[in-house]
Amino acid sequence: MSTTIKQAIEALKARIAVAYTEVSAKGGTLPATQDSANLPSAIASIPSGGGGEVYYIGNLSFGAENGRVIDAENIISSSGSISDGSFSCDKAIYTEEILNLRGVFRSFTNGGSSVLKKLYFKDAELYGSFTYFRASNIEKFDFSGLRVISANVSFLQSGTYKSIISFIGDHTLQEVLNGDIVALSGISNSFSLAGSNADRASYLAIIKGLADMTGKKAQTFSIGATNLAKLTAEDIAIATNKNWNIA
Amino acid sequence: MTNELRPQRPSKPENWLHDSAQDYTRIFSKLVYLGKDAKPWAECTNEEKEAWESDHPQPEPEPEPQEPEGGEV
């Protein structure tokens, strides 16, 4: 009997070791002590975008492993926006702990030969970004890790972006309802996603992230009549109770 | 919570509601749910909407750099 238990323990240890190997391969963070107790947190550290892939754009590095860019404002100047001609990839961009980005994806145009499908952000703060963004074939944004610190955000202001079906990547409605995630947290000025065609979960995640404008001038989140119909009265009330108009 | 909703629609189906946002941006809508401290939106005819949009074209994006195809990634 004792031999069987010993064998079982050894097999379990081997599986734990394999699990840590997979965590590392997927861009997760390995603890100093790689035992079963630390395994859940190690798995949780695996970036949702898949990780491991690194893309370099100008002097900005993206990636789960070495994408740690701190205080990187002005890394992309007004004349150096990421645009269709300078950017093309067939995988997701995944960013982690990129702080204080300014002007990123300003005037970005995704169409024609570009096949960028997804944009992932984690723990990032942006301002002056995504102005005049135009995307003709991006399907998913994951803005659940994105904090907006600008008073002058005009996301997707004049874009064609009906291809976008999610602003929360692969996160679920249940996660939004549970309060596990919000998207674009902190926006405090009117903006429009009226040309998008995302699902309820995406718009609700954004509504939950809106700054509380109580006692200040009401701002408007415009999504258009078709998208407005996807929301429940309770969803809309979350915004109006924070003094946001929903149009 | 839901009974605090204040939907506003134009008095005529062909009219529009509008409110000014940042800079000289104006939002037009057929339906708006007003924030708890928000004042009702103004109303205009479709002709007035088109005239305003004609007088206030959307600002063009900044010129984009001309990069070679398949450039730096």
Side-chain angles (χ1 to χ4, degrees):
Chain A
M1 175 69 84
S2 60
T3 301
T4 302
I5 293 174
K6 181 180 179 181
Q7 288 174 337
I9 291 174
E10 291 301 322
L12 184 59
K13 285 182 177 178
R15 293 191 192 104
I16 291 172
V18 171
Y20 275 113
T21 300
E22 290 298 319
V23 167
S24 179
K26 288 180 167 48
T29 302
L30 296 181
T33 304
Q34 296 172 17
D35 56 13
S36 60
N38 290 327
L39 189 55
S41 60
I43 293 173
S45 73
I46 297 174
S48 60
E53 303 139 335
V54 180
Y55 302 97
Y56 294 93
I57 302 174
N59 60 350
L60 165 65
S61 60
F62 289 94
E65 294 176 359
N66 61 351
R68 194 181 185 87
V69 179
I70 305 298
D71 193 18
E73 64 181 40
N74 288 323
I75 53 173
I76 298 175
S77 69
S78 59
S79 62
S81 302
I82 302 170
S83 63
D84 191 12
S86 63
F87 186 85
S88 176
C89 80
D90 59 0
K91 297 180 181 178
I93 296 177
Y94 175 82
T95 73
E96 182 173 11
E97 297 189 53
I98 296 177
L99 304 181
N100 297 334
L101 298 187
R102 176 184 292 176
V104 179
F105 294 104
R106 183 176 175 83
S107 299
F108 178 84
T109 299
N110 178 260
S113 60
S114 285
V115 288
L116 176 63
K117 295 294 185 184
K118 298 180 181 180
L119 284 171
Y120 291 90
F121 293 90
K122 180 183 178 183
D123 197 20
E125 296 177 332
L126 288 86
Y127 58 101
S129 300
F130 289 98
T131 49
Y132 309 116
F133 188 95
R134 288 167 290 175
S136 62
N137 56 9
I138 291 182
E139 295 172 349
K140 290 186 180 182
F141 284 96
D142 188 345
F143 283 159
S144 60
L146 188 60
R147 295 185 298 278
V148 178
I149 57 175
S150 171
N152 188 30
V153 172
S154 51
F155 274 85
L156 311 180
Q157 186 176 57
S158 61
T160 56
Y161 37 86
K162 292 182 178 178
S163 59
I164 298 173
I165 59 173
S166 175
F167 291 100
I168 56 172
D170 294 322
H171 289 291
T172 65
L173 174 62
Q174 195 59 53
E175 290 178 270
V176 178
L177 293 172
N178 291 346
D180 295 334
I181 65 160
V182 298
L184 297 173
S185 61
I187 290 183
S188 59
N189 63 286
S190 297
F191 68 109
S192 175
L193 295 175
S196 61
N197 186 28
D199 55 10
R200 175 196 173 200
S202 290
Y203 299 119
L204 180 57
I206 294 172
I207 284 174
K208 287 193 169 188
L210 296 173
D212 190 345
M213 302 306 292
T214 300
K216 303 174 183 175
K217 184 181 185 302
Q219 302 293 316
T220 299
F221 176 29
S222 179
I223 57 177
T226 301
N227 294 321
L228 196 55
K230 299 173 183 174
L231 297 174
T232 68
E234 287 80 5
D235 299 340
I236 296 169
I238 293 172
T240 57
N241 286 337
K242 291 190 286 187
N243 201 26
W244 277 83
N245 306 318
I246 302 294
Chain B
M1 177 182 283
T2 57
N3 58 9
E4 296 180 9
L5 285 182
R6 293 189 297 151
Q8 184 188 358
R9 294 179 174 83
S11 59
K12 298 178 180 178
E14 63 271 26
N15 285 359
W16 291 87
L17 302 170
H18 66 83
D19 188 43
S20 295
Q22 60 187 5
D23 302 330
Y24 60 108
T25 303
R26 181 173 287 186
I27 300 172
F28 293 94
S29 180
K30 295 286 187 181
L31 169 64
V32 59
Y33 290 91
L34 295 168
K36 63 179 181 182
D37 301 331
K39 298 176 182 177
W41 286 20
E43 186 171 334
C44 66
T45 64
N46 192 56
E47 290 73 22
E48 289 170 331
K49 171 179 178 288
E50 291 177 352
W52 190 93
E53 290 173 333
S54 177
D55 293 340
H56 301 81
Q58 278 196 326
E60 287 296 319
E62 294 179 356
E64 293 159 6
Q66 297 300 311
E67 300 285 349
E69 188 72 21
E72 191 172 24
V73 174

